[in-house]
Amino acid sequence: MDMLTKAEEDFINYWASQRLKKKQFLRKMSFGLPLGVFVILALMINLFSGWYQRADMAFRGNSSVLIVVLVAGVAIVVFITIFSARHKWDQNELHYHELLRKKEQADPMQRL
């Protein structure tokens, strides 16, 4: 039976306190927001570079396309931000439960 390492014990202590705290909106955005903005910037650079002439003609020919592209960009950023925050939370929660199970198996007398 494996004992927990110092890093695993530290994670259990950290996540036990963090998981009960209110989910902070700005803190969650710290990873997903830059990622979403980077994706949109890459798409915008690709769109404005003019390498695909049919798309460039459609974009410049109809002014409402710009509004649709901007709204879609904002939606993509919001989706990536929320998804990445929830995914990170779920990963930490899963790791926490796995370590607790490992800790219980290593020390069966602790359950009493």
Side-chain angles (χ1 to χ4, degrees), residues 22 49 67 80 101 105 112:
K22 208 174 197 180
S49 69
I67 296 169
I80 289 175
R101 218 171 292 119
Q105 289 173 354
L112 300 175

Coordinates of all heavy atoms in Angstrom, one line a residue, residues 22 49 67 80 101 105 112:
K22 N -16.6 29.8 -2.3 CA -17.5 30.2 -3.4 C -16.6 30.3 -4.7 O -15.5 30.7 -4.7 CB -18.1 31.6 -3.1 CG -19.4 31.8 -3.7 CD -19.9 33.1 -3.2 CE -21.4 33.2 -3.5 NZ -21.9 34.4 -3.0
S49 N -6.2 38.6 -43.4 CA -5.0 38.4 -44.2 C -5.3 38.3 -45.7 O -4.5 38.6 -46.6 CB -4.2 37.2 -43.8 OG -4.9 36.0 -44.1
I67 N -20.6 42.2 -38.1 CA -21.3 42.1 -36.8 C -21.4 40.6 -36.4 O -21.2 40.2 -35.2 CB -22.7 42.7 -36.9 CG1 -22.5 44.2 -37.2 CG2 -23.5 42.5 -35.7 CD1 -23.7 45.0 -37.5
I80 N -15.1 29.2 -24.3 CA -13.8 28.7 -23.9 C -13.5 29.0 -22.5 O -13.0 28.2 -21.7 CB -12.7 29.2 -24.9 CG1 -12.8 28.5 -26.3 CG2 -11.3 28.9 -24.3 CD1 -11.9 29.1 -27.3
R101 N -9.2 8.3 -1.7 CA -9.3 6.9 -1.8 C -8.0 6.2 -1.5 O -7.9 5.2 -0.8 CB -9.9 6.5 -3.2 CG -10.8 5.4 -3.1 CD -11.6 5.1 -4.4 NE -12.5 6.2 -4.7 CZ -12.4 6.9 -5.8 NH1 -11.4 6.7 -6.7 NH2 -13.2 7.9 -6.1
Q105 N -7.0 3.6 1.6 CA -6.4 2.3 1.4 C -5.1 2.1 2.0 O -4.7 1.0 2.5 CB -6.3 2.0 -0.1 CG -7.6 1.8 -0.8 CD -7.5 1.7 -2.3 OE1 -6.4 1.9 -2.9 NE2 -8.5 1.4 -3.0
L112 N -11.9 4.4 11.1 CA -12.6 4.2 12.4 C -12.7 5.4 13.1 O -13.1 6.3 13.4 CB -11.9 3.1 13.2 CG -11.8 1.8 12.5 CD1 -10.9 0.9 13.4 CD2 -13.2 1.1 12.3

